Amino acid sequence: MRTGGPQQAFRVPDPPFVAREVGRFTEPWAMTFLPDGRLLVTEKTGHLRLFDVAARATGEIRGVPAVAYGGQGGLGDVVLHPQFASNHLVYLSYVEAGANDTRGAVVVRARLDLDSSGNGGSLAGLQVVWRQAPKVTGYGHYSHRIAFGREGKLWITSGDRQKFDPAQDLQQNLGKVLRLNADGSVPSDNPFAAQGGIAAQVWSLGHRNLLGIAFDAGGTLWTHEMGPAGGDELNRIERGSNYGWPIVSNGDHYDGTPIPDHSTRPEFNAPEAWWTPVIAPSGFIIYSGSLFPYFRGEGFIGGLASQALVRVRFASGGAQEIRRHAMGARIREVEQGPDGAIWLLEDGANARLLKLTPR
């Protein structure tokens, strides 16, 4: 039993939810709800789908930029501007090709014009807000999750692109959490703003591959990232802090070469929770709805390798896993619906969209 205050006590059912299939997609990566209850769903191959939940009808949003599809790359995250109801701006992340077999993540924004009839629409006035710099070879660790904070700033996760050392270099924005204004300009109060250039974008550094980003009710930012062989992390993101990658990790290199643990280097910010064996985290919400009152304030992390929905409780500035709900498939994305239901996207071809509601 969990208590929600002096007047409340909630008995958590076991299992706590039932899952119902609502739709299917091809290599989906992210989703977000429109004010009218329809869903925008990205597919890695470069399609932005508009899904009518009530009719179970899938349309397409035209005007998506060409993406560099392959490996972990393609079309990524999708979020709405905080004032979407008035400005109709939507933000997308994706991977673009560069010269000499290089690639990098990009965040763009555009006006979403929905068709007056039918289940479709288009993007207009596309504007690049941010780019990974430099573009490098390889097909992994783009991260490119995006979120808006309560003050209207744009937050972007940028992976290390499997290049390790750039995560510690303020002249590159790989392996970082970035904080920008909604138009892509740099806030003057960022921790490294005085250095100018790329460093001015940076809020925190020393990250590996951050595939989840969420704010709790108090405005604290949390991210999770994939570790190497072991050591997946859940981090409380603090201004100007260094999280140690690749100097420290609670995992080791894939070839078995040890990496010093966080405990050996206390000057680096250690994770609040970590996992070995890995869960391969992807997708993340901190629940704030009323449909599951006993979940309010808890985190839900989608597990790829773990094929689970991992439930996390936050307390005293820290966090710990309290339950792992087996889903029988790789979970790519987690989202909270308008009515408080929890929505999941499976990973891969013919992936299911699931709606979780209380038992």
Side-chain angles (χ1 to χ4, degrees):
M1 181 176 291
R2 286 202 60 202
T3 58
Q7 302 298 321
Q8 293 179 300
F10 304 112
R11 184 171 299 279
V12 182
D14 187 18
F17 47 71
V18 292
R20 177 170 60 94
E21 179 182 333
V22 180
R24 297 216 176 197
F25 296 88
T26 301
E27 293 189 78
W29 207 89
M31 60 180 160
T32 194
F33 280 91
L34 293 172
D36 65 8
R38 288 186 288 181
L39 265 174
L40 293 176
V41 179
T42 63
E43 294 178 333
K44 273 179 60 181
T45 51
H47 297 282
L48 179 59
R49 304 297 187 185
L50 179 62
F51 183 70
D52 187 323
V53 174
R56 298 196 181 189
T58 305
E60 183 152 7
I61 303 298
R62 303 175 299 276
V64 175
V67 307
Y69 169 74
Q72 296 174 11
L75 187 58
D77 212 354
V78 55
V79 302
L80 306 182
H81 188 282
Q83 281 79 53
F84 175 84
S86 58
N87 63 24
H88 306 292
L89 289 177
V90 62
Y91 288 69
L92 296 171
S93 69
Y94 65 97
V95 174
E96 69 175 4
N100 302 316
D101 194 35
T102 61
R103 284 153 292 277
V106 182
V107 173
V108 297
R109 69 176 184 178
R111 188 181 72 250
L112 176 62
D113 296 328
L114 297 174
D115 295 344
S116 57
S117 60
N119 195 34
S122 61
L123 300 177
L126 199 76
Q127 173 193 358
V128 173
V129 173
W130 173 84
R131 280 188 167 97
Q132 275 183 334
K135 286 183 170 65
V136 297
T137 56
Y139 297 89
H141 292 198
Y142 299 100
S143 295
H144 61 28
R145 282 284 184 183
I146 46 183
F148 278 96
R150 59 170 57 174
E151 81 287 11
K153 302 301 183 189
L154 175 66
W155 298 77
I156 304 169
T157 69
S158 179
D160 78 332
R161 296 288 281 107
Q162 297 174 307
K163 303 302 181 185
F164 303 99
D165 294 341
Q168 292 293 323
D169 184 357
L170 283 172
Q171 305 312 309
Q172 304 182 52
N173 59 24
L174 309 182
K176 312 293 192 302
V177 173
L178 297 315
R179 177 180 180 258
L180 303 174
N181 294 316
D183 63 359
S185 61
V186 176
S188 59
D189 59 345
N190 273 5
F192 307 104
Q195 296 188 32
I198 286 176
Q201 304 174 3
V202 175
W203 188 262
S204 64
L205 65 155
H207 299 286
R208 187 172 182 268
N209 189 20
L210 313 96
L211 290 173
I213 181 169
F215 287 90
D216 65 22
T220 298
L221 179 61
W222 296 82
T223 67
H224 63 60
E225 61 186 79
M226 289 189 173
D232 287 347
E233 298 182 3
L234 178 63
N235 288 303
R236 183 177 64 246
I237 299 301
E238 299 174 325
R239 172 189 173 86
S241 192
N242 189 332
Y243 291 77
W245 178 258
I247 300 167
V248 293
S249 171
N250 290 343
D252 292 323
H253 291 294
Y254 292 122
D255 64 3
T257 303
I259 305 172
D261 289 347
H262 273 275
S263 59
T264 68
R265 296 289 297 269
E267 70 270 30
F268 295 123
N269 199 326
E272 304 303 325
W274 57 277
W275 289 268
T276 299
V278 299
I279 59 172
S282 184
F284 182 32
I285 63 168
I286 298 177
Y287 189 78
S288 61
S290 57
L291 197 61
F292 295 96
Y294 34 81
F295 289 161
R296 198 171 298 127
E298 294 183 346
F300 288 88
I301 299 172
L304 293 167
S306 52
Q307 298 191 6
L309 188 60
V310 179
R311 198 164 116 223
V312 174
R313 185 166 295 161
F314 303 93
S316 303
Q320 64 174 348
E321 177 183 338
I322 58 168
R323 187 69 186 271
R324 191 174 301 193
H325 303 282
M327 300 305 300
R330 290 164 56 88
I331 302 302
R332 169 58 66 181
E333 171 70 316
V334 187
E335 188 59 79
Q336 181 177 310
D339 64 351
I342 297 172
W343 293 71
L344 307 180
L345 279 170
E346 295 176 347
D347 190 45
N350 200 30
R352 295 183 300 168
L353 170 66
L354 301 174
K355 182 180 183 180
L356 309 187
T357 52
R359 289 185 65 85

